[in-house]
Amino acid sequence: MKDSNYIIEFSHISKSFGEKCVLNDVSLYVKKGEFVTILGPSGCGKTTLLRILAGFGTVDEGEIRIAGEDITDVPPHERPVNTVFQRYALFPHLNVYDNIAFGLKLKKVKADEIETRVRKALKMVGMTDYEWRDVNSLSGGQQQRVAIARAIINRPQVLLLDEPLAALDLKMRKDMQMELKDMHKSLGITFIYVTHDQEEALTLSDTIVVMSEGKVQQIGTPTDIYNEPVNAFVADFIGESNILNGKMIRDKAVEFMGLEFECVDEGFGENAPVDVVIRPEDVYIMAHTDSGQFEGVVQSCIFKGVHYEMTVLTANGYEIMIQDYNAFEVGQTVSMIIKPSDIHVMRKERMCNKFEGTMVDATHVEILGTSFVCNEVANVAGGEKVLVEVDFDKIELMDNKEDGTLMGDVRFILYKGDHYHLTVRTENNDNVYVDTHDVWDDRDIVGIRIQPDDLRITFV
Amino acid sequence: MKWLFKLFMKRSSWSFPYFLFLLVFVVLPLVLIGIYAFQDDAGKFTLANFSKFISNPEAANTFVYSIGIAIITTILCIVLGYPAAYILSNRTLCRSRVMVVLFILPMWINILVRTLATVALFDFMHLPLGEGALIFGMVYNFLPFMIYPIYNTMSKMDHSYIEAAQDLGANPLTVFMKVVLPLSMPGVMSGIMMVFMPTISTFAIAELLTMNNIKLFGTTIQENINNGMWNYGAALSLIMLLIIFATDLFSDNGEDRASNEGGII
């Protein structure tokens, strides 16, 4: 597992703020000279991970090593890393020169060497002749450049960048992305870059680490992550995608949208339920013809600059998103083809909700911290440990939270062509997975109800 | 009626009462001080009031002594107030809001009441009244005016500056010396303005805490005016005003930053 080539090693890092677990057993190994991006939605723990590496946060469990040395308890000023902060954090009482020279002056570097190095750093970020300017008089982009110069001048082993381009406008962001990439090449320093912008991550990185809910979901090259997402979350977060329920009929044959398709995946077993991911640009769309694999009716068509984005309702009632250079009129019947290599099949993380529970009495079971009414179970004294299974579509969500047996909020929404797959977080931080045709919004507070018939109870 | 309504709605009309107040109670007295200071009893132009001040060692000595006391008070306030403000602004002390109120609480009580209480306290503890008591009373009275602006600047300071300094290799002491201290200077400047200027002109504290044994410049002015020597008193006031004006200029560069970063004035 361990390799001396690794410059950064996070081993089994866990961290909680009060009740809330922000990092859950995160392990991550970074090779020297890599450009690694930690990508995830806000609140996924990515910034916490970066702050732990910089030394601004402590870990509850686990170990961090830089260049083989355990730095878990080393204070920030003794770590061989430098950070570019999201809000730049340039010292307002110092000018550009003194801001950049701050680190070198602390290390008691000779004055003439400081001067050469500051000029070199300024040249590198394209800010020559700005030495004596007041930092408050600089634009956002210029402040960002100074912040980068201030960090790289110390020649750290690792440069940490915390959403450094988030505050810049689109055009400036694109320019800075290219400059950062060039800088990474010429400096040869390991970059750890935190962002929630998937496009930025795909453009810049050698390796992308996708995080969600305090866990690493997938680590891989941009191409891997885009083409072979390991689960529905990654597929949904990186780029646009159609995610559908499917069934692996046998090797190299998968069924979804009620049709059988040829694919390239093997080894799932016969009739195994799977998630199927199809990128919108991988669906070939054409005027109605008999040579298509399936057909549908165009529901909407929006011009997106380079391509058109269309929603097509198939004959079996599935909605899929398609991107193509040609526009098709709304209401037009079209035919579509998907190549076997463009069908990405992923094993389902779960088939139904599984909760550990306790029998209260013959007609009540306690799961998710609440007592639910169930069908009468024979020979129950109370206190028996049980496993309760509930199908995704058997969980009812209520607008009015008082109507439910317990309360939760919608955390993650996945559109699966003909229904939504929701992750609902209960008050006790348990996840309940729900299939529904109703439209809910992220962070909606809902009441959760389960009918007695739908609780499948087995003793353990 | 319409013109009246229009006049009423204009914002500049609303400022008129304030303008009038300032004219009568601030500008006019200042002008009068200026005129009186250059007149003799008969109302003729003279510089005698100023030459009397320079040639009269007693008044000049009181003047220098007052400035000395004011400087000592200000320095003591900084020495005591800065650490207090630093501790109060520390966010890990979750009860710091309560602490701040406790420190500021004396400001809500009348200065004379507090000073009389100090006299009673010194009596009770059998401590002599005099110079020591005077400085104690001054510091006690003006300390909150030093703590609050510094606390204000510090608690509004962006924590990421401290993290950036740590990140660049600064140990806790260097972080304080190179980042926290310079960034809190606007607060210290406001504090100096709030303490130094009032202490020069104070006389009630000096009278009560020294049993009238030590005279401050404020006392001298008050005595002269009480004894009907309006012209000499005006000249002394003018000299004091010039000194205050000079400290104001001296701390001018700090002041605009203080207003940006939440000083008390």
Side-chain angles (χ1 to χ4, degrees):
Chain A
M1 190 69 180
K2 274 187 189 164
D3 190 321
S4 55
N5 284 337
Y6 290 129
I7 179 122
I8 301 166
E9 298 162 61
F10 284 105
S11 324
H12 307 288
I13 302 290
S14 291
K15 167 87 180 168
S16 304
F17 289 125
E19 293 269 295
K20 196 179 175 331
C21 177
V22 280
L23 292 175
N24 188 354
D25 195 21
V26 172
S27 289
L28 179 63
Y29 301 89
V30 178
K31 285 202 204 87
K32 202 169 164 53
E34 257 188 312
F35 196 128
V36 177
T37 301
I38 304 174
L39 175 68
S42 57
C44 73
K46 56 188 192 304
T47 299
T48 311
L49 194 65
L50 195 81
R51 289 177 58 81
I52 283 173
L53 186 56
F56 303 133
T58 52
V59 296
D60 297 341
E61 271 170 58
E63 191 189 72
I64 317 154
R65 288 171 175 274
I66 295 182
E69 229 171 289
D70 184 357
I71 55 140
T72 318
D73 298 317
V74 173
H77 65 272
E78 286 169 16
R79 296 193 182 196
V81 300
N82 283 117
T83 309
V84 176
F85 292 86
Q86 190 175 358
R87 306 293 313 163
Y88 321 134
L90 296 177
F91 303 121
H93 60 295
L94 301 177
N95 62 25
V96 171
Y97 183 95
D98 288 330
N99 259 288
I100 298 175
F102 193 90
L104 294 182
K105 279 183 183 164
L106 289 177
K107 282 185 202 140
K108 307 260 184 295
V109 177
K110 274 194 220 103
D112 51 338
E113 195 192 332
I114 291 180
E115 198 174 329
T116 9
R117 276 168 75 174
V118 170
R119 281 187 208 292
K120 220 175 116 191
L122 276 170
K123 200 173 163 204
M124 181 132 205
V125 296
M127 293 276 290
T128 319
D129 297 336
Y130 279 87
E131 291 102 313
W132 312 117
R133 287 280 291 274
D134 183 2
V135 290
N136 301 309
S137 70
L138 302 179
S139 72
Q142 289 169 330
Q143 290 194 20
Q144 184 62 79
R145 285 160 197 271
V146 175
I148 293 170
R150 185 177 70 172
I152 60 174
I153 198 170
N154 302 295
R155 296 174 187 157
Q157 298 198 40
V158 182
L159 184 69
L160 311 178
L161 302 110
D162 183 7
E163 307 214 18
L165 309 183
L168 303 182
D169 62 59
L170 186 68
K171 179 85 177 60
M172 182 88 88
R173 201 151 66 215
K174 298 270 180 214
D175 293 347
M176 279 305 281
Q177 283 175 7
M178 293 332 291
E179 283 183 44
L180 276 175
K181 204 160 177 164
D182 290 343
M183 227 178 271
H184 173 249
K185 243 180 243 161
S186 57
L187 286 169
I189 300 175
T190 312
F191 277 39
I192 308 284
Y193 191 98
V194 162
T195 183
H196 63 264
D197 182 340
Q198 43 107 0
E199 202 192 321
E200 203 164 276
L202 293 171
T203 315
L204 290 170
S205 334
D206 298 324
T207 304
I208 296 179
V209 180
V210 185
M211 283 187 72
S212 165
E213 306 271 328
K215 277 186 185 160
V216 173
Q217 301 290 327
Q218 186 171 8
I219 303 177
T221 64
T223 350
D224 281 351
I225 301 258
Y226 191 82
N227 289 334
E228 299 295 333
V230 293
N231 59 32
F233 172 80
V234 178
D236 183 61
F237 193 71
I238 308 280
E240 310 267 9
S241 36
N242 295 293
I243 300 169
L244 303 158
N245 285 333
K247 191 166 74 179
M248 211 59 194
I249 298 167
R250 57 186 171 275
D251 282 352
K252 302 197 178 186
V254 62
E255 184 197 298
F256 57 92
M257 301 195 296
L259 299 163
E260 190 180 323
F261 289 85
E262 194 191 324
C263 67
V264 294
D265 300 83
E266 316 174 307
F268 285 83
E270 280 186 21
N271 292 325
V274 288
D275 277 327
V276 176
V277 172
I278 296 152
R279 297 290 180 186
E281 69 272 22
D282 289 340
V283 182
Y284 294 87
I285 180 169
M286 61 207 90
H288 186 64
T289 149
D290 288 339
S291 56
Q293 284 172 306
F294 59 103
E295 46 197 59
V297 178
V298 178
Q299 303 288 303
S300 72
C301 179
I302 302 161
F303 183 53
K304 288 277 188 176
V306 181
H307 58 261
Y308 293 88
E309 191 172 283
M310 287 163 280
T311 325
V312 175
L313 185 66
T314 71
N316 304 344
Y318 288 87
E319 232 175 57
I320 55 170
M321 192 204 286
I322 300 172
Q323 290 172 353
D324 202 280
Y325 298 121
N326 302 308
F328 291 86
E329 269 172 48
V330 174
Q332 191 180 351
T333 307
V334 288
S335 295
M336 284 148 289
I337 292 175
I338 307 170
K339 281 199 297 184
S341 60
D342 289 333
I343 297 172
H344 309 294
V345 178
M346 297 172 308
R347 202 176 290 279
K348 271 192 181 296
E349 282 171 273
R350 56 188 77 76
M351 315 293 176
C352 63
N353 288 295
K354 283 182 183 159
F355 309 118
E356 287 170 11
T358 322
M359 292 307 295
V360 180
D361 55 39
T363 55
H364 288 89
V365 62
E366 191 184 303
I367 49 171
L368 303 166
T370 315
S371 172
F372 283 83
V373 179
C374 60
N375 288 340
E376 192 165 340
V377 187
N379 302 325
V380 166
E384 288 92 344
K385 297 274 173 224
V386 288
L387 184 69
V388 181
E389 291 183 338
V390 186
D391 289 330
F392 297 138
D393 56 351
K394 294 293 197 255
I395 289 176
E396 294 170 71
L397 298 183
M398 311 287 174
D399 266 322
N400 203 341
K401 55 182 190 270
E402 282 80 23
D403 292 347
T405 318
L406 81 162
M407 213 169 82
D409 63 317
V410 178
R411 285 303 175 97
F412 180 55
I413 304 167
L414 208 58
Y415 186 54
K416 289 210 156 178
D418 64 340
H419 67 272
Y420 294 93
H421 185 71
L422 310 179
T423 306
V424 179
R425 176 76 59 91
T426 67
E427 296 150 87
N428 301 327
N429 284 331
D430 293 307
N431 283 337
V432 178
Y433 303 93
V434 185
D435 279 349
T436 172
H437 292 279
D438 301 331
V439 181
W440 297 92
D441 283 326
D442 201 20
R443 305 285 145 147
D444 270 350
I445 307 283
V446 293
I448 300 168
R449 201 161 71 180
I450 308 169
Q451 295 298 340
D453 283 342
D454 299 325
L455 294 160
R456 284 198 302 276
I457 300 174
T458 40
F459 288 90
V460 280
Chain B
M1 272 324 270
K2 211 171 173 190
W3 67 269
L4 199 68
F5 181 74
K6 253 189 187 167
L7 193 72
F8 190 70
M9 287 309 287
K10 260 169 72 181
R11 198 195 297 201
S12 54
S13 335
W14 283 76
S15 67
F16 181 73
Y18 300 97
F19 179 73
L20 195 71
F21 179 87
L22 288 175
L23 195 70
V24 174
F25 291 101
V26 180
V27 179
L28 197 65
L30 277 176
V31 172
L32 283 178
I33 287 175
I35 294 171
Y36 271 46
F38 292 99
Q39 281 180 343
D40 58 16
D41 291 339
K44 275 196 208 114
F45 175 82
T46 174
L47 288 174
N49 296 321
F50 292 94
S51 56
K52 184 176 168 191
F53 171 71
I54 293 160
S55 59
N56 180 353
E58 201 203 344
N61 281 347
T62 315
F63 185 66
V64 173
Y65 184 75
S66 297
I67 290 178
I69 291 285
I71 289 173
I72 290 170
T73 306
T74 311
I75 289 173
L76 279 176
C77 281
I78 295 175
V79 169
L80 293 173
Y82 194 91
Y86 186 62
I87 293 164
L88 288 177
S89 67
N90 191 334
R91 50 178 88 179
T92 53
L93 284 171
C94 52
R95 279 182 198 83
S96 68
R97 288 302 304 173
V98 180
M99 294 272 284
V100 174
V101 172
L102 286 179
F103 269 94
I104 305 303
L105 204 62
M107 279 216 266
W108 299 347
I109 299 163
N110 184 284
I111 191 166
L112 280 177
V113 177
R114 274 184 284 160
T115 308
L116 283 169
T118 312
V119 174
L121 187 73
F122 270 70
D123 272 350
F124 177 74
M125 295 177 74
H126 302 292
L127 290 168
L129 293 175
E131 200 175 46
L134 172 65
I135 290 172
F136 176 86
M138 296 272 238
V139 171
Y140 170 61
N141 269 306
F142 289 104
L143 190 58
F145 295 96
M146 181 61 82
I147 293 178
Y148 197 70
I150 301 176
Y151 163 76
N152 223 353
T153 330
M154 278 191 181
S155 56
K156 281 181 188 153
M157 196 185 295
D158 192 342
H159 196 69
S160 65
Y161 295 136
I162 294 165
E163 285 183 351
Q166 289 175 329
D167 187 73
L168 293 166
N171 60 33
L173 182 69
T174 333
V175 170
F176 179 78
M177 295 305 288
K178 296 230 167 182
V179 178
V180 179
L181 192 62
L183 286 180
S184 61
M185 277 327 272
V188 176
M189 277 309 185
S190 301
I192 291 175
M193 303 273 282
M194 299 290 293
V195 173
F196 184 72
M197 294 205 271
T199 45
I200 290 187
S201 59
T202 183
F203 64 89
I205 298 175
E207 265 183 38
L208 292 169
L209 280 172
T210 65
M211 313 274 277
N212 237 346
N213 282 334
I214 297 178
K215 264 205 252 173
L216 290 186
F217 201 56
T219 324
T220 314
I221 296 172
Q222 188 233 4
E223 278 175 0
N224 277 303
I225 289 175
N226 269 0
N227 297 335
M229 300 175 60
W230 284 86
N231 301 105
Y232 187 47
L236 295 179
S237 301
L238 198 64
I239 290 164
M240 193 179 73
L241 275 175
L242 288 175
I243 292 293
I244 289 174
F245 188 61
T247 39
D248 194 25
L249 278 184
F250 168 71
S251 57
D252 213 18
N253 55 350
E255 203 190 7
D256 63 338
R257 261 196 289 169
S259 55
N260 281 339
E261 293 177 22
I264 201 163
I265 43 170

